[in-house]
Amino acid sequence: MGPIRGILFDKDGVLFDFQKTWGAWTKGVIRDFAGGDAGLAADLADVLDFDARTGLFRPSSFVIAGTAREVADAIASVLPGRDRDSLFTELKLRTARAPQVEAAPLRATLLDLKARGLVLGVATNDTEAAARANIAGANAVEVFDLIAGSDSGFGAKPEPGMLLAFAEAMRLPPDTLVMVGDSTHDMHAGRAAGFTCVAVLTGVANATDLAPHADVVLPDISALGPWLDRK
């Protein structure tokens, strides 16, 4: 492994706290799409593996690491007659407007990493437009050297396409780069690309789930600086 020269972040559960951000958003989506129909609301919660009582996603939910298209298709499956493409478009707009809860002081954390001479990127299974909108809300778009989504032309995680695109764009060997994620999808993508894999605990998975697949497990991205200092 060479010296660390760049860090690639997943978005949801890494830059932003997953449950605090998307739990509230999903409750609103279910309420709006169900239109007061309790049975339909229950069906929507079930298909997303979402606990409507607690407002939290279950650890088994595919939404945690799924693509925006997969989420739209799942919702469409319990909305008879709803066009999947129009639903996908509506959900893209909704996700772009969703209020984000930072997992750690985002801009300050990222600027500290940039000050170390690192290149930074985002690789998310959300759409690129939604990712840019969410990150813009934290005043951090310009801090990143690359932002890629599942619709950016590089594929989706756990495939390594976005990670390899980052390495190529930055002209850096994969073994000098880090993938920071909150799911096994992120860790598998990192391994496949030859990155160092760092897991954080601001998603849904716990340390027991992530540790076998990661080089290190940190509480959140604010711990990256101290971790780099110890390397």
Side-chain angles (χ1 to χ4, degrees), residues 3-215:
I4 300 301
R5 299 178 64 186
I7 301 178
L8 187 62
F9 298 87
D10 179 38
K11 175 172 71 77
D12 301 316
V14 176
L15 302 181
F16 305 107
D17 185 285
F18 188 90
Q19 297 282 32
K20 291 178 182 177
T21 296
W22 297 109
W25 181 87
T26 302
K27 286 182 73 173
V29 166
I30 290 173
R31 180 194 62 240
D32 293 347
F33 286 170
D37 183 329
L40 180 53
D43 289 343
L44 286 164
D46 285 345
V47 78
L48 298 174
D49 211 356
F50 179 76
D51 187 332
R53 181 182 58 82
T54 63
L56 300 175
F57 282 93
R58 299 184 180 93
S60 55
S61 176
F62 79 93
V63 176
I64 296 162
T67 66
R69 174 65 72 173
E70 288 169 342
V71 174
D73 286 348
I75 291 174
S77 72
V78 294
L79 295 176
R82 185 65 189 267
D83 178 74
R84 290 178 182 238
D85 288 337
S86 66
L87 180 62
F88 177 56
T89 298
E90 180 177 348
L91 287 173
K92 282 198 296 183
L93 293 173
R94 283 175 172 262
T95 56
R97 296 193 300 261
Q100 303 293 302
V101 179
E102 296 180 9
L106 188 56
R107 185 174 174 83
T109 298
L110 296 173
L111 289 176
D112 172 71
L113 296 171
K114 289 291 282 190
R116 295 167 181 266
L118 300 172
V119 296
L120 305 179
V122 174
T124 175
N125 277 354
D126 201 351
T127 64
E128 181 179 335
R132 288 184 176 278
N134 295 158
I135 295 165
N139 193 28
V141 169
E142 82 285 355
V143 181
F144 290 104
D145 300 282
L146 181 144
I147 298 174
S150 59
D151 60 347
S152 298
F154 309 118
K157 296 172 293 186
E159 298 303 318
M162 285 189 280
L163 287 72
L164 295 173
F166 178 65
E168 182 176 357
M170 299 300 107
R171 299 182 180 181
L172 291 172
D175 67 356
T176 67
L177 299 173
V178 173
M179 177 70 219
V180 182
D182 66 309
S183 73
T184 55
H185 269 36
D186 296 321
M187 299 300 99
H188 293 160
R191 285 279 178 258
F195 284 33
T196 297
C197 295
V198 174
V200 291
L201 300 178
T202 43
V204 177
N206 59 35
T208 301
D209 298 326
L210 295 168
H213 309 283
D215 293 296

